[in-house]
Amino acid sequence: MSIGNEAELLLEFNDFGFMYNAQAAPTLYNIDLKLHRGERVLIAGPSGCGKSTLIHCINGLIPFSYKGQMTGSLKIKGRETSTLSIFDISNTVGTVLQDSDAQFVGMTVAEDIAFAPENDCVGDPMLHERVLKAATMVGIEDYLKHAPGELSGGQKQRVSVAGVMVDDVDILIFDEPLANLDPATGKQAIELIDEMQEKTGATVIIVEHRLEDVLHRYVDRVILMEKGRIISDTPPDELLSGELLSQCGIREPLYITALKYAGVSISRDMNPSSVDGMIIGDDAKKKVREWYSKPVEITEDAPSDELLSCESISFAYDKGERKALDGITVRINKGEMTAIVGTNGAGKSTFSKVVCGFETEDEGRIFLNGKDIADSSIKERAEHIGYVMQNPNQMISKVWIYDEVALGLRTRGVPEDEISVRVEKALKICGLWRMRKWPVSALSFGQKKRVTIASILVLDPEMIILDEPTAGQDYRHYTEIMEFLSELNRQGITVVMVTHDMHLMLEYAKRAIVFSKGRIIADDKCHNILTNMSIIKEASLKETSLYGLALKCGIEDGTGFVKHFIDYERHNIRGTRKEEAYDQSV
Amino acid sequence: MTNLFNYIDRPSPIHRLTGATKFVCLMLWSFAAMSTYDTRMLLGLTIISMILFLIGRIHIKDVSFMLGFTLVFLVINSIAIYLFSPLHGTKIYGSCTYLLEYTGRFAPTAEQLFYHFNYVLKYLATIPIVLLFVTTTNPSEFAASLNKIGVKYSIAYAVALALRYIPDIQRQYHEISQAGQARGIEMSKKATLISRLKSASGILIPLILSSMDRIEVISNAMELRGFGKKKKRTWYMGRPFKAADISAMLGCVLLVCLSLYLNHINGGRYYNPFI
């Protein structure tokens, strides 16, 4: 699609800047940006680059909820926003916020969709008609009476989209639409956005750092932001053929990475924005095949002793209800780094809870180092198996970092002098030693995460289970957290990660256990799982683009190609990246 | 998990009344039951309330937690009254009929037992109606009808949101307390009350912090979708008052009148069978 100059100009930034009242320096500088009707734009950039601030300026939350100083001009449909109220803006701009759970206002799907027209005093029967129309548009009309808790992640997002589509808005903003979705649902979300754009002809702005996933459907322009400025505004093909992405810490699509490893240089006329549509010349294909045939030296891990073993565990939250876990048998060995994957409600979290003793299994036995732990309390198990929640704010209860990390020892009556030794060790491992006298509130999200990990490590567990360790993190923070976990793993701690992130699986887990409907449907090396169509489908995963690249280059063994990619990265790339990330954190 | 405020969606005539009707009826009913000690009236109210409970298709197990809680409270209360004021009944009814040969301060009298009987009846006449209100009122519909009877819509919506978030917060509390227990924050019955209260703060702080995050998100979401734009708003779940609503409220008004009338002819709040 090409946007001619005749398309209506909807949004115009002119030398725009913004500074929050509470901050000393501006968050946005010299923003010049024009958006026309019907355009699809992706705004990408690392955390803190100002992309959220930018969209808050568009949808009116700035300056109505967040106060600060604006400079320059920002016009929506030709009207300066400083003359408009947030309600005027909401007639033109619809925003789907990041967390579809937290933004649910209504008790049921229908009420949530009805929220905006209710506030506009739309009466019946119009109100019911409009709700039904919007619900039908996103395909959620059979769930009108359901409560949010009864919906899957993808359905919740459809409701949020219907909630803004119910008004005829000209600009649709999606703030990190993929953040809480499993890979297959994320793919559907991008397809839904695409479909909505086609149906309404609205301008779509997607804010997201998962570039490859967004590029699943057509995007006109990618706007790259860094440190409060727009540093590039180009079609995706041009962006992918340059070097800007890696410079600002955005992950490039995996097939592009693989091509670069093979020595292929990417140019704009190859259409690199999707693996299917990409034009790869014979010369480049040959290079890829050559790269694939070059063996990588890999050290197979020696088999180690069993740490945790579960024998046919079954569990239901309410007697007579569907089993959340159904005959789970699995063993985890010492020193492993393993991913647990599956859709929401597949039993991943329940499994972790049963292992930690938060819930008690109805049937089956759990052995730790060969000993049945049925009689161990939550507190006793925690000395062997640490559990780190997804949101660090849910775990932190002390004001000072030192006290937070010491908490688990103090409640166990360990003498203060021993506590100080152990806390020091944990803080040093987590790269927090120089911050030991800081209040927790001064830390970033990633640092808080490390505080919660330190507060678990201080108890000297043999194994830690982490729930979505990198959710909502940009590529740099993701790498920082994951390299830190790998380092812990190298020091002998068994790491189990519950995750939706396929990159995490590919890059850091040696093995993946796939849950579906309370059962384990696969337990294998990651490259085997991510190339097995039936497992991918059942567990709501997504085929990796590396597989597509392999087929395109005439390599029949796609699984082998993925394995080669992982081995190559681990052998040649990872070590250097690790040192960089660790230098920054210590 | 037990939810304190748990709307249970079952088709029944009680469910079909609007939330405001049920709220007004609850207030009138409680006033009628609280203003009199007339045994005949209280017995009547108790029987009607139980019938209404059945009509509302709510089962005992749906409300077992709250029911148990109030009954325990009732028993403690009764015992306390007896201990502190064993001659209260004698004073009220102006006679003293000892039931046993023993005649000390704590000797059981027919008057005291009758007073207790009435006291318990008061509870029994009200509890089912309160439970019925809580379980048959859809929070959003309640908000809509509160708004209709003149409560500002921002307040009405706040009530609905609070009711909606109670299960969420309960779930979060549960999760946070599990993680806390893993670190040794003792919340089980083994610990003393003082140490449990102390540990509770270790769970409340993260709970409050994560709730604050959510409040910011939800208030942004509401503003972005025009909440507060106009002086009025419409309600998807709103229902017009019907004949049943009017008659239910009229019925409750009659009960209040009856209760006041009985107080008048009894010459006080008590019905005295001992004269």
Side-chain angles (χ1 to χ4, degrees), chain A residues 56 59-61 64-66 86-88 90-91 93 95 97 99 101-108 110-124 127-128 131 144 148 159-160 163-164 167 318 353 358-359 377-379 382-383 387 389 391 393-398 403-409 411-412 455-456 459, chain B residues 1-2 7 9 137-141 143-144 153 157 160-161 163-165 167-168 171-186 190 198-211 213-240:
Chain A
H56 286 163
N59 66 25
L61 281 177
F64 298 99
S65 293
Y66 304 107
I86 188 169
F87 304 130
D88 297 330
S90 74
N91 292 331
V93 181
T95 313
L97 296 173
D99 186 346
D101 248 335
Q103 67 181 297
F104 236 104
V105 193
M107 279 274 292
T108 58
E111 286 168 67
D112 195 69
I113 298 173
F115 190 72
E118 281 178 346
N119 293 328
D120 239 343
C121 276
V122 176
D124 276 320
L127 182 58
H128 276 71
V131 168
L144 284 179
V159 177
S160 313
V164 298
D167 282 333
D318 282 303
K353 286 181 180 170
F358 297 167
E359 306 288 351
S377 67
I378 296 182
K379 196 173 165 182
E383 281 150 34
Y387 179 69
M389 297 170 88
N391 179 355
N393 290 336
Q394 290 198 333
M395 293 183 76
I396 292 172
S397 58
K398 297 283 177 211
D403 293 340
E404 180 62 33
V405 176
L407 177 69
L409 295 175
T411 55
R412 283 169 173 79
S455 66
I456 296 297
L459 299 175
Chain B
M1 207 189 312
T2 19
Y7 169 62
D9 191 12
T137 305
N138 178 324
S140 9
E141 194 270 321
Y153 80 75
Y157 213 91
L161 265 187
L163 292 177
R164 162 159 142 49
Y165 277 115
D168 274 17
R171 200 190 58 234
Q172 247 191 24
Y173 177 83
H174 192 64
E175 281 178 4
I176 293 173
S177 89
Q178 285 174 336
Q181 284 175 53
R183 292 173 63 196
I185 297 176
E186 192 67 73
K190 276 186 236 163
K198 254 180 158 174
S199 339
S201 77
I203 292 162
L204 285 179
I205 289 168
L207 184 67
I208 291 168
L209 286 180
S210 50
S211 303
D213 293 349
R214 293 197 58 168
I215 290 170
E216 188 183 332
V217 175
I218 195 88
S219 63
N220 282 347
M222 288 170 72
E223 272 188 357
L224 284 175
R225 290 162 72 189
F227 190 75
K229 189 194 287 189
K230 299 191 173 168
K231 284 227 162 68
K232 283 183 176 174
R233 82 194 290 276
T234 49
W235 302 82
Y236 185 84
M237 291 296 286
R239 279 184 299 200

Side-chain angles (χ1 to χ4, degrees), chain A residues 190-204:
Chain A
I190 293 298
E191 286 162 8
L192 176 73
I193 293 173
D194 182 51
E195 212 178 293
M196 292 304 115
Q197 198 282 331
E198 256 160 35
K199 278 186 189 163
T200 61
T203 301
V204 168

Side-chain angles (χ1 to χ4, degrees), chain B residues 232-252:
Chain B
K232 283 183 176 174
R233 82 194 290 276
T234 49
W235 302 82
Y236 185 84
M237 291 296 286
R239 279 184 299 200
F241 284 104
K242 292 196 181 126
D245 293 289
I246 308 292
S247 29
M249 284 190 276
L250 276 180
C252 290

Side-chain angles (χ1 to χ4, degrees), chain A residues 397-439:
Chain A
S397 58
K398 297 283 177 211
V399 177
W400 303 98
I401 293 177
Y402 184 93
D403 293 340
E404 180 62 33
V405 176
L407 177 69
L409 295 175
R410 290 198 174 132
T411 55
R412 283 169 173 79
V414 176
E416 259 329 295
D417 47 342
E418 191 190 331
I419 289 181
S420 73
V421 176
R422 285 171 72 174
V423 170
E424 180 179 337
K425 191 178 153 214
L427 285 174
K428 279 186 174 159
I429 292 176
C430 298
L432 292 165
W433 179 241
R434 70 183 171 83
M435 302 171 200
R436 63 194 176 279
K437 290 187 177 149
W438 291 19

Side-chain angles (χ1 to χ4, degrees), chain A residues 191-222:
Chain A
E191 286 162 8
L192 176 73
I193 293 173
D194 182 51
E195 212 178 293
M196 292 304 115
Q197 198 282 331
E198 256 160 35
K199 278 186 189 163
T200 61
T203 301
V204 168
I205 303 174
I206 303 172
V207 175
E208 187 53 74
H209 52 82
R210 286 158 72 171
L211 182 66
E212 179 173 353
D213 295 323
V214 178
L215 291 182
H216 170 58
R217 284 292 169 95
Y218 181 78
V219 170
D220 290 297
R221 288 146 70 190
V222 182

